[in-house]
Amino acid sequence: MRLKMCSIHVKDPAAAHEFYTGILGFETLMALPEQNLYIIKDPGGGESAGLLLEPSDNPIGAAYMNAVHDAGLPAIVLGVPDVRAEYERLTAKGVIFQAEPSDGPWGTSVVLDDGCGNYVQLHQD
């Protein structure tokens, strides 16, 4: 058994697709703009789970997305080899962060705003 796909609710799937592929560097697994359907995956061509950029047009999904964002909680955690290097790279591209990277007993991490309704935590591998 393996993780095949998970989802994250977003305000605008097309804008989220642009952010996650164009800024963060993920690859498109499937894009059907006419159906507002976008699925991304880890870069590098290997087999990885897909991430569905799910429209938040369902009131339950929108309520969840907004409540998590309003609480300042990350909706998803992404692994990176060097959090500080990603922070510098993404800051130069205009990405907004909650604060600078921090070290804790769980490792080095930082939280960014994806501009599509979610905070995303970057955690050092």
PDB file of all heavy atoms in Angstrom, residues 37-64:
ATOM      1  N   LEU A  37      -9.426  21.318 -12.935  1.00  0.00           N
ATOM      2  CA  LEU A  37      -8.766  20.185 -12.290  1.00  0.00           C
ATOM      3  C   LEU A  37      -7.262  20.267 -12.516  1.00  0.00           C
ATOM      4  O   LEU A  37      -6.803  20.277 -13.664  1.00  0.00           O
ATOM      5  CB  LEU A  37      -9.305  18.864 -12.863  1.00  0.00           C
ATOM      6  CG  LEU A  37      -8.636  17.591 -12.363  1.00  0.00           C
ATOM      7  CD1 LEU A  37      -8.895  17.396 -10.868  1.00  0.00           C
ATOM      8  CD2 LEU A  37      -9.129  16.397 -13.145  1.00  0.00           C
ATOM      9  N   TYR A  38      -6.523  20.317 -11.408  1.00  0.00           N
ATOM     10  CA  TYR A  38      -5.065  20.381 -11.462  1.00  0.00           C
ATOM     11  C   TYR A  38      -4.498  19.455 -10.396  1.00  0.00           C
ATOM     12  O   TYR A  38      -4.898  19.519  -9.225  1.00  0.00           O
ATOM     13  CB  TYR A  38      -4.565  21.800 -11.200  1.00  0.00           C
ATOM     14  CG  TYR A  38      -5.038  22.800 -12.228  1.00  0.00           C
ATOM     15  CD1 TYR A  38      -6.242  23.459 -12.082  1.00  0.00           C
ATOM     16  CD2 TYR A  38      -4.264  23.066 -13.350  1.00  0.00           C
ATOM     17  CE1 TYR A  38      -6.677  24.366 -13.026  1.00  0.00           C
ATOM     18  CE2 TYR A  38      -4.698  23.980 -14.307  1.00  0.00           C
ATOM     19  CZ  TYR A  38      -5.903  24.623 -14.124  1.00  0.00           C
ATOM     20  OH  TYR A  38      -6.322  25.522 -15.072  1.00  0.00           O
ATOM     21  N   ILE A  39      -3.582  18.591 -10.819  1.00  0.00           N
ATOM     22  CA  ILE A  39      -2.883  17.696  -9.899  1.00  0.00           C
ATOM     23  C   ILE A  39      -1.393  17.873 -10.153  1.00  0.00           C
ATOM     24  O   ILE A  39      -0.951  17.860 -11.306  1.00  0.00           O
ATOM     25  CB  ILE A  39      -3.292  16.225 -10.105  1.00  0.00           C
ATOM     26  CG1 ILE A  39      -4.809  16.062  -9.969  1.00  0.00           C
ATOM     27  CG2 ILE A  39      -2.551  15.323  -9.123  1.00  0.00           C
ATOM     28  CD1 ILE A  39      -5.331  14.690 -10.355  1.00  0.00           C
ATOM     29  N   ILE A  40      -0.634  18.052  -9.080  1.00  0.00           N
ATOM     30  CA  ILE A  40       0.807  18.223  -9.192  1.00  0.00           C
ATOM     31  C   ILE A  40       1.517  17.075  -8.497  1.00  0.00           C
ATOM     32  O   ILE A  40       0.884  16.276  -7.789  1.00  0.00           O
ATOM     33  CB  ILE A  40       1.256  19.572  -8.584  1.00  0.00           C
ATOM     34  CG1 ILE A  40       0.857  19.649  -7.110  1.00  0.00           C
ATOM     35  CG2 ILE A  40       0.657  20.727  -9.381  1.00  0.00           C
ATOM     36  CD1 ILE A  40       1.470  20.823  -6.358  1.00  0.00           C
ATOM     37  N   LYS A  41       2.844  16.991  -8.726  1.00  0.00           N
ATOM     38  CA  LYS A  41       3.637  15.952  -8.075  1.00  0.00           C
ATOM     39  C   LYS A  41       5.039  16.488  -7.837  1.00  0.00           C
ATOM     40  O   LYS A  41       5.426  17.527  -8.369  1.00  0.00           O
ATOM     41  CB  LYS A  41       3.674  14.687  -8.911  1.00  0.00           C
ATOM     42  CG  LYS A  41       4.461  14.810 -10.198  1.00  0.00           C
ATOM     43  CD  LYS A  41       4.490  13.488 -10.944  1.00  0.00           C
ATOM     44  CE  LYS A  41       5.514  13.474 -12.052  1.00  0.00           C
ATOM     45  NZ  LYS A  41       6.879  13.322 -11.608  1.00  0.00           N
ATOM     46  N   ASP A  42       5.797  15.736  -7.062  1.00  0.00           N
ATOM     47  CA  ASP A  42       7.190  16.101  -6.796  1.00  0.00           C
ATOM     48  C   ASP A  42       7.949  16.215  -8.108  1.00  0.00           C
ATOM     49  O   ASP A  42       7.687  15.469  -9.048  1.00  0.00           O
ATOM     50  CB  ASP A  42       7.883  15.022  -5.955  1.00  0.00           C
ATOM     51  CG  ASP A  42       7.333  14.909  -4.548  1.00  0.00           C
ATOM     52  OD1 ASP A  42       6.608  15.816  -4.109  1.00  0.00           O
ATOM     53  OD2 ASP A  42       7.640  13.904  -3.886  1.00  0.00           O
ATOM     54  N   PRO A  43       8.916  17.122  -8.176  1.00  0.00           N
ATOM     55  CA  PRO A  43       9.757  17.216  -9.376  1.00  0.00           C
ATOM     56  C   PRO A  43      10.716  16.039  -9.466  1.00  0.00           C
ATOM     57  O   PRO A  43      10.959  15.343  -8.485  1.00  0.00           O
ATOM     58  CB  PRO A  43      10.523  18.530  -9.180  1.00  0.00           C
ATOM     59  CG  PRO A  43      10.514  18.756  -7.710  1.00  0.00           C
ATOM     60  CD  PRO A  43       9.247  18.133  -7.185  1.00  0.00           C
ATOM     61  N   GLY A  44      11.224  15.788 -10.640  1.00  0.00           N
ATOM     62  CA  GLY A  44      12.254  14.782 -10.796  1.00  0.00           C
ATOM     63  C   GLY A  44      11.843  13.521 -11.517  1.00  0.00           C
ATOM     64  O   GLY A  44      12.656  12.632 -11.721  1.00  0.00           O
ATOM     65  N   GLY A  45      10.607  13.390 -11.899  1.00  0.00           N
ATOM     66  CA  GLY A  45      10.203  12.267 -12.720  1.00  0.00           C
ATOM     67  C   GLY A  45       9.949  10.960 -11.998  1.00  0.00           C
ATOM     68  O   GLY A  45       9.488  10.009 -12.594  1.00  0.00           O
ATOM     69  N   GLY A  46      10.248  10.868 -10.708  1.00  0.00           N
ATOM     70  CA  GLY A  46       9.990   9.627  -9.985  1.00  0.00           C
ATOM     71  C   GLY A  46       8.517   9.475  -9.658  1.00  0.00           C
ATOM     72  O   GLY A  46       7.716  10.378  -9.860  1.00  0.00           O
ATOM     73  N   GLU A  47       8.183   8.290  -9.172  1.00  0.00           N
ATOM     74  CA  GLU A  47       6.796   8.058  -8.758  1.00  0.00           C
ATOM     75  C   GLU A  47       6.589   8.666  -7.393  1.00  0.00           C
ATOM     76  O   GLU A  47       7.316   8.386  -6.457  1.00  0.00           O
ATOM     77  CB  GLU A  47       6.506   6.551  -8.694  1.00  0.00           C
ATOM     78  CG  GLU A  47       5.636   6.097  -9.826  1.00  0.00           C
ATOM     79  CD  GLU A  47       5.127   4.703  -9.627  1.00  0.00           C
ATOM     80  OE1 GLU A  47       4.302   4.476  -8.726  1.00  0.00           O
ATOM     81  OE2 GLU A  47       5.568   3.839 -10.391  1.00  0.00           O
ATOM     82  N   SER A  48       5.605   9.543  -7.293  1.00  0.00           N
ATOM     83  CA  SER A  48       5.263  10.141  -6.009  1.00  0.00           C
ATOM     84  C   SER A  48       3.758  10.358  -5.968  1.00  0.00           C
ATOM     85  O   SER A  48       3.077  10.285  -6.988  1.00  0.00           O
ATOM     86  CB  SER A  48       6.003  11.465  -5.816  1.00  0.00           C
ATOM     87  OG  SER A  48       5.604  12.410  -6.783  1.00  0.00           O
ATOM     88  N   ALA A  49       3.269  10.618  -4.780  1.00  0.00           N
ATOM     89  CA  ALA A  49       1.839  10.872  -4.634  1.00  0.00           C
ATOM     90  C   ALA A  49       1.466  12.172  -5.337  1.00  0.00           C
ATOM     91  O   ALA A  49       2.248  13.115  -5.386  1.00  0.00           O
ATOM     92  CB  ALA A  49       1.480  10.959  -3.157  1.00  0.00           C
ATOM     93  N   GLY A  50       0.275  12.206  -5.881  1.00  0.00           N
ATOM     94  CA  GLY A  50      -0.240  13.426  -6.480  1.00  0.00           C
ATOM     95  C   GLY A  50      -0.862  14.312  -5.417  1.00  0.00           C
ATOM     96  O   GLY A  50      -1.335  13.836  -4.386  1.00  0.00           O
ATOM     97  N   LEU A  51      -0.835  15.611  -5.670  1.00  0.00           N
ATOM     98  CA  LEU A  51      -1.499  16.571  -4.797  1.00  0.00           C
ATOM     99  C   LEU A  51      -2.564  17.280  -5.624  1.00  0.00           C
ATOM    100  O   LEU A  51      -2.244  18.029  -6.551  1.00  0.00           O
ATOM    101  CB  LEU A  51      -0.499  17.583  -4.225  1.00  0.00           C
ATOM    102  CG  LEU A  51      -1.103  18.671  -3.333  1.00  0.00           C
ATOM    103  CD1 LEU A  51      -1.754  18.072  -2.083  1.00  0.00           C
ATOM    104  CD2 LEU A  51      -0.037  19.688  -2.946  1.00  0.00           C
ATOM    105  N   LEU A  52      -3.820  16.992  -5.312  1.00  0.00           N
ATOM    106  CA  LEU A  52      -4.944  17.613  -5.994  1.00  0.00           C
ATOM    107  C   LEU A  52      -5.150  19.012  -5.424  1.00  0.00           C
ATOM    108  O   LEU A  52      -5.286  19.182  -4.213  1.00  0.00           O
ATOM    109  CB  LEU A  52      -6.217  16.778  -5.782  1.00  0.00           C
ATOM    110  CG  LEU A  52      -7.544  17.386  -6.229  1.00  0.00           C
ATOM    111  CD1 LEU A  52      -7.559  17.645  -7.730  1.00  0.00           C
ATOM    112  CD2 LEU A  52      -8.691  16.485  -5.811  1.00  0.00           C
ATOM    113  N   LEU A  53      -5.130  20.006  -6.297  1.00  0.00           N
ATOM    114  CA  LEU A  53      -5.403  21.386  -5.902  1.00  0.00           C
ATOM    115  C   LEU A  53      -6.912  21.568  -6.008  1.00  0.00           C
ATOM    116  O   LEU A  53      -7.445  21.944  -7.046  1.00  0.00           O
ATOM    117  CB  LEU A  53      -4.614  22.344  -6.798  1.00  0.00           C
ATOM    118  CG  LEU A  53      -3.098  22.096  -6.787  1.00  0.00           C
ATOM    119  CD1 LEU A  53      -2.402  22.923  -7.850  1.00  0.00           C
ATOM    120  CD2 LEU A  53      -2.514  22.345  -5.404  1.00  0.00           C
ATOM    121  N   GLU A  54      -7.570  21.240  -4.926  1.00  0.00           N
ATOM    122  CA  GLU A  54      -9.021  21.078  -4.931  1.00  0.00           C
ATOM    123  C   GLU A  54      -9.760  22.402  -4.765  1.00  0.00           C
ATOM    124  O   GLU A  54      -9.478  23.156  -3.839  1.00  0.00           O
ATOM    125  CB  GLU A  54      -9.422  20.125  -3.793  1.00  0.00           C
ATOM    126  CG  GLU A  54     -10.852  19.717  -3.847  1.00  0.00           C
ATOM    127  CD  GLU A  54     -11.150  18.480  -3.013  1.00  0.00           C
ATOM    128  OE1 GLU A  54     -10.221  17.818  -2.534  1.00  0.00           O
ATOM    129  OE2 GLU A  54     -12.336  18.187  -2.875  1.00  0.00           O
ATOM    130  N   PRO A  55     -10.724  22.666  -5.660  1.00  0.00           N
ATOM    131  CA  PRO A  55     -11.502  23.901  -5.529  1.00  0.00           C
ATOM    132  C   PRO A  55     -12.228  23.937  -4.185  1.00  0.00           C
ATOM    133  O   PRO A  55     -12.735  22.922  -3.724  1.00  0.00           O
ATOM    134  CB  PRO A  55     -12.510  23.832  -6.672  1.00  0.00           C
ATOM    135  CG  PRO A  55     -12.034  22.775  -7.587  1.00  0.00           C
ATOM    136  CD  PRO A  55     -11.170  21.846  -6.779  1.00  0.00           C
ATOM    137  N   SER A  56     -12.259  25.106  -3.565  1.00  0.00           N
ATOM    138  CA  SER A  56     -12.941  25.247  -2.271  1.00  0.00           C
ATOM    139  C   SER A  56     -14.377  25.727  -2.468  1.00  0.00           C
ATOM    140  O   SER A  56     -14.900  26.483  -1.663  1.00  0.00           O
ATOM    141  CB  SER A  56     -12.167  26.202  -1.367  1.00  0.00           C
ATOM    142  OG  SER A  56     -12.052  27.470  -1.975  1.00  0.00           O
ATOM    143  N   ASP A  57     -15.015  25.273  -3.552  1.00  0.00           N
ATOM    144  CA  ASP A  57     -16.388  25.685  -3.817  1.00  0.00           C
ATOM    145  C   ASP A  57     -17.405  24.925  -2.972  1.00  0.00           C
ATOM    146  O   ASP A  57     -18.559  25.302  -2.894  1.00  0.00           O
ATOM    147  CB  ASP A  57     -16.724  25.576  -5.306  1.00  0.00           C
ATOM    148  CG  ASP A  57     -16.406  24.222  -5.899  1.00  0.00           C
ATOM    149  OD1 ASP A  57     -15.962  23.310  -5.159  1.00  0.00           O
ATOM    150  OD2 ASP A  57     -16.584  24.057  -7.120  1.00  0.00           O
ATOM    151  N   ASN A  58     -16.966  23.868  -2.308  1.00  0.00           N
ATOM    152  CA  ASN A  58     -17.824  23.151  -1.375  1.00  0.00           C
ATOM    153  C   ASN A  58     -17.792  23.920  -0.052  1.00  0.00           C
ATOM    154  O   ASN A  58     -16.714  24.236   0.442  1.00  0.00           O
ATOM    155  CB  ASN A  58     -17.303  21.723  -1.188  1.00  0.00           C
ATOM    156  CG  ASN A  58     -18.124  20.933  -0.203  1.00  0.00           C
ATOM    157  OD1 ASN A  58     -18.250  21.306   0.955  1.00  0.00           O
ATOM    158  ND2 ASN A  58     -18.671  19.822  -0.661  1.00  0.00           N
ATOM    159  N   PRO A  59     -18.946  24.234   0.539  1.00  0.00           N
ATOM    160  CA  PRO A  59     -18.943  25.030   1.775  1.00  0.00           C
ATOM    161  C   PRO A  59     -18.165  24.378   2.918  1.00  0.00           C
ATOM    162  O   PRO A  59     -17.552  25.067   3.720  1.00  0.00           O
ATOM    163  CB  PRO A  59     -20.415  25.180   2.141  1.00  0.00           C
ATOM    164  CG  PRO A  59     -21.205  24.545   1.068  1.00  0.00           C
ATOM    165  CD  PRO A  59     -20.285  23.926   0.072  1.00  0.00           C
ATOM    166  N   ILE A  60     -18.161  23.066   2.991  1.00  0.00           N
ATOM    167  CA  ILE A  60     -17.415  22.381   4.044  1.00  0.00           C
ATOM    168  C   ILE A  60     -15.916  22.551   3.806  1.00  0.00           C
ATOM    169  O   ILE A  60     -15.157  22.867   4.725  1.00  0.00           O
ATOM    170  CB  ILE A  60     -17.799  20.890   4.103  1.00  0.00           C
ATOM    171  CG1 ILE A  60     -19.263  20.743   4.511  1.00  0.00           C
ATOM    172  CG2 ILE A  60     -16.877  20.128   5.064  1.00  0.00           C
ATOM    173  CD1 ILE A  60     -19.821  19.349   4.352  1.00  0.00           C
ATOM    174  N   GLY A  61     -15.481  22.364   2.548  1.00  0.00           N
ATOM    175  CA  GLY A  61     -14.072  22.551   2.207  1.00  0.00           C
ATOM    176  C   GLY A  61     -13.621  23.984   2.430  1.00  0.00           C
ATOM    177  O   GLY A  61     -12.534  24.233   2.957  1.00  0.00           O
ATOM    178  N   ALA A  62     -14.455  24.946   2.046  1.00  0.00           N
ATOM    179  CA  ALA A  62     -14.111  26.358   2.227  1.00  0.00           C
ATOM    180  C   ALA A  62     -14.017  26.704   3.709  1.00  0.00           C
ATOM    181  O   ALA A  62     -13.100  27.416   4.132  1.00  0.00           O
ATOM    182  CB  ALA A  62     -15.139  27.240   1.532  1.00  0.00           C
ATOM    183  N   ALA A  63     -14.955  26.205   4.507  1.00  0.00           N
ATOM    184  CA  ALA A  63     -14.942  26.474   5.948  1.00  0.00           C
ATOM    185  C   ALA A  63     -13.672  25.907   6.586  1.00  0.00           C
ATOM    186  O   ALA A  63     -13.026  26.574   7.410  1.00  0.00           O
ATOM    187  CB  ALA A  63     -16.183  25.894   6.614  1.00  0.00           C
ATOM    188  N   TYR A  64     -13.305  24.691   6.187  1.00  0.00           N
ATOM    189  CA  TYR A  64     -12.089  24.066   6.719  1.00  0.00           C
ATOM    190  C   TYR A  64     -10.859  24.878   6.310  1.00  0.00           C
ATOM    191  O   TYR A  64     -10.021  25.221   7.151  1.00  0.00           O
ATOM    192  CB  TYR A  64     -11.973  22.626   6.213  1.00  0.00           C
ATOM    193  CG  TYR A  64     -10.655  21.988   6.561  1.00  0.00           C
ATOM    194  CD1 TYR A  64     -10.419  21.505   7.839  1.00  0.00           C
ATOM    195  CD2 TYR A  64      -9.642  21.891   5.616  1.00  0.00           C
ATOM    196  CE1 TYR A  64      -9.201  20.935   8.171  1.00  0.00           C
ATOM    197  CE2 TYR A  64      -8.420  21.320   5.937  1.00  0.00           C
ATOM    198  CZ  TYR A  64      -8.205  20.847   7.219  1.00  0.00           C
ATOM    199  OH  TYR A  64      -7.009  20.292   7.550  1.00  0.00           O
TER     200      TYR A  64
END
